[in-house]
Structure formats: C-alpha cells, structure tokens
Amino acid sequence: MVDTEFRGRVALVTGGSRGIGRAICERLATGGARVSINYQQAEDAARATLETVNSFGTDGILAQANVAEPKEVSEMVKKTEQELGPIDLLVTNAGIAKVEPPDQLDYDSFKQMMSVNVDGTYLPLVSVTKGMRARGFGRIVCIASIAALRPRPAQAAYSASKAAVIAFARSLSEDLAPAVRINSIAPGLIETDMIQVMTPSQRDAIAEATPMKRLGRAEEIAELAAFLLSERSSYTTGQCYIASGGRVTLP
Ligand SMILES: NC(=O)c1ccc[n+]([C@@H]2O[C@H](COP(=O)([O-])OP(=O)(O)OC[C@H]3O[C@@H](n4cnc5c(N)ncnc54)[C@H](OP(=O)(O)O)[C@@H]3O)[C@@H](O)[C@H]2O)c1
C-alpha cells in the first residue's frame, strides 16, 4: 500500500541492505520518503532494496559506509544530502551480534561489537542532529534489542552495546526537543540473517517461550519504526519501545 505520510522527507537508514533495515527502507518508501540505503558489504542486497524503494515510485540511493568509521559516516551523510536533500528521518539500525560463552569472552570481539553497535549509532546521530536542529525538524529511531533489558546467555557484550543505544536515545531526547524527536526500539528475536547462527531448535524454544508463540518479522519492526518517525507519535520522545511478542514487558 502506498501512502503520502513521508512525502517530501529524506530518510537515511543504516544497514538497509538486509533484514530489519531493508524492511524499514521499504516501509518508508511506501510513505513516499526518499531513502538513502546504507550498507557495508552486501551491495547486491542493497541494490535489491533500492529496486523495491524505486518500485514504490520514490527516489533512493546507495550509501556504502562502515558506520563505525567517522570519515565514512560523514561522507555517507554528505552524499545523502547532496543527492537527496537534508536528512529529516534517521534510523540507526546497522549492527552485529556475537554469541560468546563466558569462558570465551574476547576483548577484540568486545571492541568490535561496541564499535559497530555503539560508535555506529553515535556517529550518524552527531552527523545529522546539528542540521536537524538548525532546520527545526528531525525524527530519529535507534534499533536496540531486548538483550539490553533482560539476561541473555552468552551475549554480555551485545547486551551492553544495546543498553548504550537505549541510553543514547533517552539522554539525547531532552537536548534535541522540541524540534527533534528520538526513540529506540528493542526487538525480540526477529527472522533475519542475524539469527541464522542459532539452531532451529534454539529458535523454536524461544518462539515457544514467547506469549505470541512465534518469532517476529522484520516488517513488524518496520511498522513500529514508521509510527515513531511519523506525526502519529507526535508527543513521544526519549522512549524505548519493546516489540518482542510479549517476551519482555515493562511495569
Ligand atoms: N534479528 C534479531 O533478532 C534482532 C533482535 C534485536 C535487535 N536486532 C538489531 O536489529 C538491527 C538489524 O538486525 P538484522 O537482524 O536485520 O541484521 P542482519 O540481517 O544481519 O543485517 C545487518 C545489517 O547491518 C549492516 N551492517 C553490519 N555492520 C555494518 C557496518 N559496520 N557498517 C554498515 N552497515 C553494517 C549489514 O550490512 P551488509 O549487508 O553490507 O553486511 C546489514 O544491512 C541490528 O542492530 C540488530 O542488533 C536484531
């Protein structure tokens, strides 16, 4: 379904080549946004996202960059603004996850996870928020995880990195208001490439432990992101929205 909710808006989505990021790019395009699709390595997949974005009758570009590298992030933002216009909507979604049993914790791996998940959130945020404030408009969604909110076996570093993402969104919300709204989303287990490291029986066990009795779909996270980027959530900032089929609930 194509609507006009984001018509005239420019969106930058990190990690838009696959999974949740791709679904968000496509959902924003159905609302008429022009979409800058960031990826790091999977150019063919990013190109497939772009084709779908274009099929909704809107413009898009590919913006290759490692979100953990300051120079590459500023080039990505510059390219987006030169080719599509000032960025109105930012989704920091690119991320990596590693399973690390407690006796296999590794400092290099910890630094890599922090670098992609935390620096990779911070760098796009600082690159776009100055312009958003100057123009008096910006909407931001940061993709975190329920791993930040509950114990998760063998994922201490990942969990810590996602807790930092939630804290960024929460803390920045006061500085950026009222012109810019920023919220985070904490998904539960979502069917994407990222969870293919788990065995089918591990995934089935989590589905069974989930009140909704299934894993989530990338499109379901994209719909929530679209809501938080839209004026349908006009009085909401600094919040973390959990989409986990009921696995994690707040008091
Ligand atoms: N799937 C889940 O169950 C789940 C649950 C909670 C939270 N999340 C979070 O949701 C986000 C998306 O996850 P997903 O499941 O969609 O993962 P995915 O299918 O593995 O896709 C990851 C995306 O991130 C990009 N990426 C990774 N490292 C990057 C870097 N250094 N620079 C730029 N792009 C980079 C990838 O680009 P390339 O294609 O170029 O490699 C790809 O587009 C992540 O932040 C993840 O932690 C996922």
Side-chain angles (χ1 to χ4, degrees), residues 8-12 34 36 61 76-89 135:
R9 298 290 182 208
V10 172
L12 169 61
R34 300 198 294 284
S36 177
I61 59 165
M76 167 180 77
V77 169
K78 200 162 131 198
K79 176 181 161 112
T80 301
E81 301 208 323
Q82 277 170 352
E83 297 185 27
L84 297 179
I87 295 166
D88 304 297
L89 316 173
R135 291 187 299 277

Side-chain angles (χ1 to χ4, degrees), residues 10-12 16-17 33 74 88 115 128 157 179 189 202 219 240 251:
V10 172
L12 169 61
S17 46
S74 65
D88 304 297
S115 166
V128 306
L189 209 63
Q202 285 172 322
E219 293 72 21
C240 175

Side-chain angles (χ1 to χ4, degrees), residues 15 17-18 20 40-42 65-67 93 144 158 162 188 190 192:
S17 46
R18 294 182 287 120
I20 293 170
Q40 184 183 26
Q41 289 174 321
N66 177 354
V67 292
N93 160 80
Y158 178 72
K162 291 301 187 177
I190 307 299
T192 68

Side-chain angles (χ1 to χ4, degrees), residues 19-20 23-24 27 143 185-192 210 212 214-228 241-245:
I20 293 170
I24 293 172
R27 175 62 186 84
I143 303 297
I185 295 177
L189 209 63
I190 307 299
E191 293 276 16
T192 68
T210 301
M212 301 288 286
R214 64 174 175 83
L215 303 187
R217 295 186 294 272
E219 293 72 21
E220 292 174 310
I221 304 305
E223 195 56 44
L224 180 54
F227 168 72
L228 292 171
Y241 274 67
I242 301 170
S244 68

